[in-house]
Amino acid sequence: MAAPSELFCWKAGLGLPSVNTDCLIVLAYARFSGAPLKIHKISNPWRSPTGSLPALRTKEEGSCSQPSQIIIQLRKQKYNADYDLSAKEGADTLAFTSLLEERLLPALIYALWVDPKNYAEVTRRWYGENMCFPLNFFLPGRMQNRQLERLRLIRGNDALEAGEEAEKELYHDALECLNLLSQRLGSNKFFFGDSPSSLDAYVFGHLAPLIKIQLPNCRLQQNLKNLDNLSTYCSNILSLYFPSESKEGVGRPVSSTQQGGDFDNEPYKRRKQLLSVLVAVAAMLSYALLTGIVAIEHMQEEHVGPASLRGPSHEDEEEE
Amino acid sequence: MSLAAEAFVSQIAAAEPWPENATLYQPLKEDQILLSDSASSLAVQTFLRMCGLPVLVSCRANAEYMSPSGKVPFIHVGNQVVSELGPIVQFTKAKGHALSDGLDDVQRAEMKAYMELVNNMLLTAELYIQWCDDYTATEISRPRYSNPYSWPLNHVLAYQKQWEIRRKMNAIGWSGKNLEQVYEDVSQCCQALSQRLGTQPYFFNKQPTELDALVFGHLFTILTTQLTSDELAEKVKSYSNLLSFCHRIEQTYFKEHEREGQFGSSRHSKSSLP
């Protein structure tokens, strides 16, 4: 364990330490297990070692992107938040994680990426504002297509479209899952005793976007308000393990590297550079036109026919 | 099923009692059915037996296309057609037969979670081994899946199914796994089930529930199906309480019907547990 591993994830936004569920899971687990990671909060997935976020880069084992693989890597480095769990609790962790992925995740994908109003007003706006030029033009659209396809494949329904029917079905399943989670959590602080485990990381990663992000068109959020213990649970984790982010709301990333600063300024810097280059080229062209071609037209008016070919060179010699 | 359709079906379902001629449709047992479909079908059959509801098993080559959701098995009861274990459980509940009524809220949450675990890990692993492992796909899955059809339809359908499954694996992040990792996942899943079962006769002590039916369906099929390698069955066999669980359910619910041929052997599967 010579140098700390590096974790690349989406930067903070919309009231959360990271806008992406998988990144939230990994960040939460890292905080729970006390792993000393060098965290790079970026907004350009192409800069990550695996091409997608989150990504963990270790010196020995290369890079991986799936949250479950990242957690396994951290466990290998002896940062294990599940150390105190009994075998049965470990089994419950697997079971409830599967429940989350099958029932809650589709509704989350729908609410953030497929529902047209939410996508236009919240998701696309955030990604468009926070990605660098020119990625912000096409990458959110591409991400939306991928998420829709992923949703269709998870549900096994190729004809799934944004609409009343799909929304009702997905939210119904998700609400059932949330009720089950609420019943399992009861009035405990965390799912297994007083210290958080990987299941808490998974639940937090899926639940926090639903609770914290203000979505204009999401009936599920209204139903969630009735489940007090889940809201308290999320706020608890945010205040205990992500104190700086929870205070600022939509704040700057806490642990950003020197690259983070550049990415914030870069879209404007590049735009300015491009504009100035364009202005310079336009100026040179217009100068060339003004001195060259305008002169040619002038000559053609006065001298008819054959002389026009020699006109510009004649004019150039005179000027020089 | 959509919510509106579900509510409608429940209403109609509640009106009539379970008929004698209820039928369960699945692909051809001898030549066509694959491991994952066989497991799902056995789970439904076990559930119905646990409820004490009679059902005839009918094998059809086009069962997958007859099904309303595209998945097998499906049951034809009265004038309704319901597919997959989840909706079938709700359907039978509407008719007044339920196995999980005695559970409290926390137990019901756990039961649903463990059912999702089986679907998420065990079923997905079965699909992966069948369709994403080239050797198994070539030797077993594609020939069996397209068995009833003539050339060139058999090739087209088989490759189409394989492509569809591989896309799904890609979407859920399983395409980066190799066979060893999948076997490891199966082992983890079995360990979780074994831990939850402990020394009890069923997952929720004395009474069987749909979770028991689902787990039995999958584990029994894995243990009695011959694949290109025995590693999958070996992973399950290493948990003795799961083996005795399967024996127990087989003895209780299936032994007396064995002579009727409902549970007969085929080239693909062995007839009873080793």
Side-chain angles (χ1 to χ4, degrees), chain A residues 188-218:
Chain A
N188 302 333
K189 199 168 166 203
F190 298 108
F191 274 91
F192 302 121
D194 282 334
S195 59
S197 61
S198 55
L199 179 60
D200 298 288
Y202 273 97
V203 174
F204 175 70
H206 287 87
L207 216 51
L210 274 177
I211 290 185
K212 289 289 171 190
I213 300 181
Q214 302 293 332
L215 291 170
N217 184 22
C218 183

Side-chain angles (χ1 to χ4, degrees), chain A residues 9-11 13-14 16-29 53-54 65-68 70-71 97 100-101 104-110 112-113 127 143 147 150 200-211 213 242:
Chain A
C9 45
W10 283 103
K11 64 183 204 191
L14 303 171
L16 293 168
S18 177
V19 294
N20 175 280
T21 293
D22 290 338
C23 295
L24 277 173
I25 293 172
V26 174
L27 277 173
Y29 186 84
L53 297 169
S65 238
Q66 291 269 328
S68 48
I70 293 179
I71 290 181
T97 314
L100 279 173
E101 279 177 13
L104 190 53
L105 185 62
L108 190 56
I109 294 177
Y110 183 90
L112 280 176
W113 289 96
Y127 281 97
M143 287 166 81
Q147 294 285 14
R150 185 179 168 200
D200 298 288
Y202 273 97
V203 174
F204 175 70
H206 287 87
L207 216 51
L210 274 177
I211 290 185
I213 300 181
F242 299 98

Side-chain angles (χ1 to χ4, degrees), chain B residues 18 67 158 168 173 179 191 203 241:
Chain B
W18 191 271
S67 161
K168 179 167 181 195
L179 210 51
Q191 188 183 33
F203 276 93
N241 63 343

Side-chain angles (χ1 to χ4, degrees), chain B:
Chain B
M1 273 205 292
S2 72
L3 272 185
E6 241 176 62
F8 180 66
V9 163
S10 294
Q11 265 187 326
I12 305 269
E16 301 160 353
W18 191 271
E20 282 299 316
N21 62 347
T23 323
L24 179 138
Y25 290 91
Q26 65 172 39
L28 304 174
K29 195 200 286 250
E30 289 282 326
D31 302 311
Q32 189 190 20
I33 199 169
L34 291 172
L35 174 62
S36 49
D37 294 334
S38 183
S40 308
S41 173
L42 183 56
V44 170
Q45 287 178 49
T46 314
F47 174 73
L48 291 173
R49 283 189 194 220
M50 285 174 175
C51 292
L53 297 170
V55 72
L56 304 161
V57 176
S58 172
C59 296
R60 299 289 173 90
N62 59 343
E64 200 179 2
Y65 300 104
M66 284 203 277
S67 161
S69 71
K71 301 223 169 68
V72 289
F74 67 93
I75 56 173
H76 179 200
V77 177
N79 57 359
Q80 262 126 61
V81 181
V82 188
S83 65
E84 294 184 79
L85 185 64
I88 290 177
V89 169
Q90 280 177 321
F91 180 76
T92 50
K93 192 169 174 182
K95 286 223 183 271
H97 306 270
L99 292 178
S100 55
D101 276 347
L103 301 179
D104 65 31
D105 285 336
V106 172
Q107 283 178 319
R108 189 164 296 131
E110 281 184 11
M111 182 188 78
K112 294 247 159 102
Y114 276 92
M115 285 177 78
E116 291 301 334
L117 174 67
V118 174
N119 282 330
N120 196 2
M121 281 196 130
L122 214 46
L123 181 61
T124 315
E126 286 166 8
L127 286 172
Y128 182 95
I129 292 169
Q130 278 168 206
W131 293 104
C132 297
D133 173 37
D134 285 323
Y135 187 53
T136 314
T138 320
E139 292 292 315
I140 298 182
S141 313
R142 285 203 299 265
R144 280 185 74 88
Y145 183 75
S146 57
N147 183 285
Y149 307 109
S150 56
W151 191 88
L153 189 61
N154 54 355
H155 284 299
V156 169
L157 288 178
Y159 278 104
Q160 195 181 54
K161 180 79 178 176
Q162 183 171 336
W163 185 66
E164 187 191 310
I165 301 287
R166 286 196 180 181
R167 269 177 72 211
K168 179 167 181 195
M169 292 295 146
N170 213 359
I172 57 178
W174 276 58
S175 54
K177 297 197 181 188
N178 60 20
L179 210 51
E180 280 311 309
Q181 285 171 326
V182 170
Y183 285 135
E184 189 50 48
D185 282 342
V186 169
S187 200
Q188 261 187 7
C189 179
C190 290
Q191 188 183 33
L193 291 171
S194 175
Q195 288 294 339
R196 185 64 186 80
L197 182 63
T199 49
Q200 300 169 103
Y202 300 109
F203 276 93
F204 292 98
N205 210 4
K206 297 286 174 23
Q207 290 290 77
T209 56
E210 46 264 34
L211 175 60
D212 300 280
L214 184 62
V215 172
F216 172 72
H218 281 273
L219 293 183
F220 188 86
T221 318
I222 289 176
L223 289 167
T224 54
T225 305
Q226 262 166 342
L227 290 173
T228 52
S229 87
D230 280 335
E231 206 169 326
L232 193 59
E234 292 301 319
K235 294 283 175 195
V236 176
K237 277 187 209 166
S238 54
Y239 297 98
S240 56
N241 63 343
L242 291 179
L243 268 184
S244 50
F245 170 78
C246 290
H247 268 298
R248 195 181 312 123
I249 294 198
E250 192 199 357
Q251 293 289 334
T252 321
Y253 293 101
F254 287 96
K255 269 297 178 221
E256 66 269 21
H257 291 285
E258 207 181 41
R259 264 179 252 130
E260 291 178 35
Q262 285 212 7
F263 218 53
S265 61
S266 68
R267 279 171 301 153
H268 191 53
S269 74
K270 310 167 209 150
S271 61
S272 58
L273 287 172

Side-chain angles (χ1 to χ4, degrees), chain A residues 6 51 136 193 238 267 312:
Chain A
E6 295 167 62
N136 57 347
L238 274 173

Side-chain angles (χ1 to χ4, degrees), chain A residues 33-50:
Chain A
S33 59
L37 291 174
K38 197 166 163 211
I39 300 182
H40 301 267
K41 293 216 179 180
I42 57 180
S43 56
N44 184 351
W46 291 2
R47 293 228 172 228
S48 105
T50 59

